[in-house]
Amino acid sequence: MKNFVFSQPKRWEVRGEDVWRPGTGSRVILMDGSIPWEDVAACVNLLGEEHRGLGAAAQLRNVEALPGDLVIRTGEPDELRGVETYREGYVLAVGPVVELTAQSERAVLYGLRTIMEALENGGLPYGRIVDWPDTNERGLHLDAGRKFYTKEWIMDRIRDLSRNRMNVLWFHFSENEGFRIASDRHPEVPSLLHLSKDDVREIIRLANAYHIDINPALDCPGHLGQALQEHPRWRLNREMAEPLWSALDITKDDARAFLLELIDEYAELFAGAKVFHIGGDEFIDFNHFERFPELEQYAREHLGPDHGGVDVYVDFLNQVIAHVRNKGFQVRVWNDGLLRPDQAEHVELDRDVQIAFWSNWDKGMAPLESFLERGYQVVNYHADYLYYILLVRKGYADPSPEKIMNEWGPAVFPGHPVHGEQVLPEERAGQFLGCCYSIWSDWPDIQSEEEVIARCRDSLRAFAARCWSWKDK
């Protein structure tokens, strides 16, 4: 059986029947260009760990190429001028010598992978290849909060992401059922099984080496069950029932301070990341703020007589967003509790936050257009196609590679029970950031690490390939 090949390049002009294969004396020639040659050499060395022939080849600088050599040039290829994602695109000119031209280290890796995959399947045909992604963000959101995943397993996923030409890993390390990174400020918070900070730094270094963005996800003010395990006084009270064990009481200053201390600690650990996901989903049943009288009282006392519990929630998110942004991050939140037509909001959500749009199952949820018309940037996390869940429940099935390839596309967002099918309008393309596939570990013990990746590998590959090529050319 032939080895896995990611996707057919967008433009592939084959000339004749000859194919390029390196010989025993083939060399990698690094030409001076827009990227320091040491950084290009690091990409070659990294993939050389996976491909023995590439790793064994001598590396030279700025010399004349001979048949069998691979030349790497860095700079903007003419064929990619005007392409939005040109920095991730590459050009291969294939003859007796192969010339790879790219403008970023990430694109160098993608081009090298195309070459290596072709060699594993017989050789690289003479001709010209031009390839680039159609989607900016192609991410994996890993719920490593509910389930403990080992450092080695997570590092293997980074290598998989690179093979799949995906460029973001979301490290979701806090959940109701677990908190999986050590804490110096609150050592009582992490679960028994957790990663040390040195473990995480090693994971981050590997992601950086593969030029994959790694971003933190610490959900609030809901999904904090494990973090609040030793702090029951900070759980949100509700009418005629026990406090909500997973929700932070955002009416208490010391509870907010506790959360911000956690955010500060992990913002420091993930310094250099581009975006911080603060969640915001499933805080309470968003249809029933009246069941939380302390929120209503706090709203009247601190925000104004016409304000209600939903305004406390949005105001809290805005304060956290401002706090995180002040540390140098862009901020992302889930869509389900925001701009709801069944709630009269008097506090407006920060307009500069990214919206992770995962579901529209409830008619009380705002449709996609509500966010777009206010100028928000959106990311497609379509739960019906892109959620792999460790779960045994009637009606749930693992994501299907065939459905992803044939029924879904990056512009297809979750349908709304009132508004129906939701497809990103072409005129809103500037507000579309990309897509994300999620692994959710709801029942953490029903699958081992090996079973998780074995069952979702094909759908993850399909997602990556669909994100790479979906626009008509």
Side-chain angles (χ1 to χ4, degrees):
M1 179 181 292
K2 290 187 176 181
N3 293 292
F4 165 71
V5 176
F6 168 66
S7 182
Q8 182 80 3
K10 287 186 174 62
R11 299 178 190 167
W12 193 340
E13 302 170 7
V14 176
R15 298 169 187 165
E17 297 182 357
D18 290 331
V19 297
W20 179 86
R21 297 187 188 93
T24 55
S26 293
R27 307 166 301 172
V28 176
I29 300 173
L30 309 176
M31 305 300 289
D32 289 343
S34 60
I35 303 172
W37 72 268
E38 298 93 340
D39 294 342
V40 179
C43 294
V44 175
N45 294 336
L46 187 66
L47 288 200
E49 297 175 6
E50 302 178 29
H51 302 278
R52 187 173 302 173
L54 181 63
Q59 294 181 22
L60 302 175
R61 290 181 60 203
N62 302 320
V63 301
E64 184 176 350
L66 300 174
D69 286 348
L70 165 62
V71 178
I72 303 178
R73 304 179 186 277
T74 56
E76 183 178 355
D78 291 338
E79 292 95 328
L80 295 176
R81 294 178 189 268
V83 175
E84 181 184 358
T85 54
Y86 69 93
R87 289 192 59 80
E88 293 188 87
Y90 61 90
V91 174
L92 289 172
V94 186
V97 172
V98 173
E99 293 193 7
L100 165 61
T101 306
Q103 193 163 328
S104 69
E105 294 93 331
R106 188 179 283 168
V108 169
L109 286 172
Y110 294 161
L112 288 174
R113 287 201 177 281
T114 295
I115 296 170
M116 296 304 119
E117 288 167 3
L119 293 179
E120 289 174 359
N121 287 274
L124 187 61
Y126 281 19
R128 195 168 187 84
I129 292 173
V130 184
D131 205 12
W132 66 91
D134 286 337
T135 310
N136 278 298
E137 179 177 327
R138 308 174 301 282
L140 170 65
H141 193 101
L142 175 64
D143 172 12
R146 292 183 175 94
K147 182 177 180 65
F148 174 72
Y149 292 97
T150 61
K151 175 187 70 176
E152 292 75 18
W153 188 89
I154 296 171
M155 293 172 76
D156 280 344
R157 300 292 70 73
I158 289 171
R159 297 181 182 98
D160 282 347
L161 292 180
S162 179
R163 294 183 190 104
N164 287 329
R165 281 64 157 181
M166 295 171 65
N167 56 12
V168 185
L169 173 63
W170 291 92
F171 202 119
H172 184 102
F173 60 89
S174 170
E175 260 299 341
N176 292 331
E177 297 81 5
F179 193 105
R180 303 297 179 176
I181 301 179
S183 173
D184 298 320
R185 300 189 188 185
H186 288 280
E188 76 285 357
V189 165
S191 304
L192 179 62
L193 292 175
H194 63 267
L195 298 170
S196 70
K197 288 187 175 179
D198 282 343
D199 289 334
V200 176
R201 293 186 185 102
E202 189 173 349
I203 291 168
I204 292 172
R205 283 195 295 271
L206 185 68
N208 290 341
Y210 278 99
H211 299 281
I212 291 170
D213 297 338
I214 181 167
N215 296 325
L218 199 171
D219 217 320
C220 69
H223 289 273
L224 287 170
Q226 173 62 31
L228 295 173
Q229 190 73 23
E230 300 297 325
H231 301 287
R233 66 189 183 281
W234 291 332
R235 290 173 176 156
L236 183 65
N237 289 321
R238 51 183 168 173
E239 195 172 45
M240 305 293 290
E242 292 292 319
L244 191 56
W245 71 285
S246 61
L248 185 74
D249 187 347
I250 57 178
T251 70
K252 293 180 178 177
D253 290 341
D254 52 353
R256 291 186 179 216
F258 163 71
L259 173 69
L260 293 180
E261 287 174 2
L262 290 176
I263 287 176
D264 289 349
E265 182 170 5
Y266 297 105
E268 181 178 346
L269 179 62
F270 285 89
K274 296 178 180 178
V275 190
F276 199 122
H277 200 321
I278 65 167
D281 64 313
E282 299 176 331
F283 169 46
I284 62 170
D285 180 346
F286 290 117
N287 294 300
H288 296 289
F289 275 93
E290 75 281 357
R291 295 176 182 172
F292 300 88
E294 292 180 8
L295 291 178
E296 302 292 321
Q297 180 180 347
Y298 184 93
R300 291 190 294 272
E301 293 177 355
H302 291 82
L303 301 177
D306 296 329
H307 292 65
V310 66
D311 298 309
V312 181
Y313 161 71
V314 177
D315 181 68
F316 166 82
L317 289 181
N318 282 343
Q319 291 186 38
V320 176
I321 290 165
H323 183 88
V324 174
R325 184 180 294 128
N326 191 49
K327 294 186 173 297
F329 298 90
Q330 177 56 274
V331 186
R332 184 169 295 185
V333 295
W334 300 109
N335 67 289
D336 52 296
L338 301 166
L339 306 184
R340 295 176 64 99
D342 60 355
Q343 298 291 336
E345 294 182 13
H346 297 86
V347 175
E348 182 181 53
L349 179 71
D350 188 308
R351 290 287 182 101
D352 194 33
V353 73
Q354 299 176 359
I355 303 298
F357 205 98
W358 69 281
S359 181
N360 251 184
W361 63 268
D362 178 2
K363 66 180 181 180
M365 293 179 181
L368 177 65
E369 182 57 30
S370 293
F371 294 96
L372 296 175
E373 67 186 6
R374 290 169 173 81
Y376 290 104
Q377 295 182 311
V378 298
V379 186
N380 192 346
Y381 283 71
H382 202 313
D384 293 338
Y385 289 96
L386 309 179
Y387 268 29
Y388 177 85
I389 310 174
L390 279 65
L391 184 70
V392 177
R393 181 175 294 168
K394 184 178 181 181
Y396 171 75
D398 293 346
S400 164
E402 294 75 21
K403 288 186 176 181
I404 291 173
M405 292 299 294
N406 299 324
E407 299 178 11
W408 177 79
V412 178
F413 280 70
H416 192 281
V418 174
H419 299 270
E421 182 183 55
Q422 299 189 110
V423 178
L424 185 87
E426 289 187 14
E427 63 269 21
R428 298 290 190 179
Q431 295 170 245
F432 175 59
L433 295 175
C435 302
C436 203
Y437 181 106
S438 300
I439 296 175
W440 293 107
S441 309
D442 288 32
W443 295 9
D445 297 327
I446 66 170
Q447 295 172 25
S448 67
E449 291 179 328
E450 293 75 15
E451 289 171 321
V452 170
I453 190 57
R455 290 180 58 167
C456 73
R457 178 178 283 113
D458 288 344
S459 59
L460 187 58
R461 285 176 175 173
F463 162 79
R466 191 75 174 107
C467 287
W468 188 274
S469 297
W470 63 280
K471 294 181 179 178
D472 293 330
K473 298 298 176 187

